[in-house]
Amino acid sequence: MTLSDMNFCPECGGPLMRRAVGTELRNHWYCWRCLRPQYLSPRIIVTAFVASGDRLLWAQRGLEPQRGKWGIPGGFLELGETLAEGAARELYEETGIAVSPDQLKLYMTGSITFINQVYMGFRATVDVDVCAPGVESMDCGFFSRDECPWDEVAYPQVNDSIRQAYDDLDSGSFDVWQAEMTESYYVLRSVSHSEVGPSSR
């Protein structure tokens, strides 16, 4: 849904009008019956890039959209959660791997404007590659770059970010990355100095 799709207030059913503050039209609507603004803000996606050696953890989606396709474990942040708490919860729900939020390190941030989402990616390493699909997953597993199911990825638009994660595993150094994705361009750039990770040689 976009702001242009909203015609009536979800609180009282009154007609919505574009709100002006001073002389500037703001990017939200206002109900003149119950006097409440109505916002449509981007949703926040939290993900966990979990590595065992040179392999990354993938989950096969058990729910629509893209059921049966593969992706990095993640989902929507829920009310009352910190970003790391949400990523740890999604990781456990989809793969059975329990990682403390304190063990997750900020790794990737990004905005996907055409689907109105902001995503926050974290990274962690585990000593063993034991995992088990949860109720939202059909399967899960650790894959090397060559083993991973590139032809069955749920959201190939973000494959560059995943390839970057494999590059970082190969080099053993980890920047914090920021991505900007619109319908017309995609940019991924480092916003920090490299940190040597535990997989470095």
Side-chain angles (χ1 to χ4, degrees), residues 9-159:
C9 175
E11 305 291 338
C12 73
L16 294 176
M17 299 181 65
R18 191 79 177 272
R19 188 176 189 190
V21 177
T23 58
E24 179 184 357
L25 280 177
R26 294 299 174 93
N27 195 29
H28 61 260
W29 296 87
Y30 194 79
C31 176
W32 296 100
R33 179 186 292 172
C34 68
L35 305 180
R36 294 183 182 178
Q38 296 295 330
Y39 302 94
L40 277 180
S41 300
R43 299 194 71 183
I44 297 174
I45 304 292
V46 285
T47 61
F49 291 80
V50 177
S52 177
D54 65 349
R55 296 181 299 162
L56 281 177
L57 178 62
W58 291 71
Q60 186 180 31
R61 294 179 60 84
L63 303 176
E64 296 293 351
Q66 303 296 328
R67 186 176 188 275
K69 300 291 187 177
W70 290 82
I72 299 299
F76 290 112
L77 184 71
E78 295 184 358
L79 293 176
E81 290 181 323
T82 67
L83 295 167
E85 287 171 349
R89 174 187 51 76
E90 287 287 345
L91 174 65
Y92 182 73
E93 289 176 352
E94 295 185 5
T95 68
I97 293 180
V99 173
S100 166
D102 294 339
Q103 294 177 269
L104 295 174
K105 296 185 178 181
L106 181 64
Y107 185 44
M108 290 190 180
T109 70
S111 56
I112 310 175
T113 61
F114 54 90
I115 54 175
N116 203 29
Q117 291 181 356
V118 171
Y119 74 86
M120 305 294 293
F122 294 84
R123 64 179 177 86
T125 58
V126 292
D127 295 329
V128 294
D129 58 3
V130 176
C131 58
V135 295
E136 296 182 0
S137 303
M138 298 172 65
D139 198 1
C140 58
F142 286 85
F143 300 121
S144 69
R145 186 195 304 262
D146 294 334
E147 294 169 338
C148 75
W150 293 111
D151 293 336
E152 302 173 45
V153 173
Y155 300 102
Q157 302 92 331
V158 298
N159 278 357

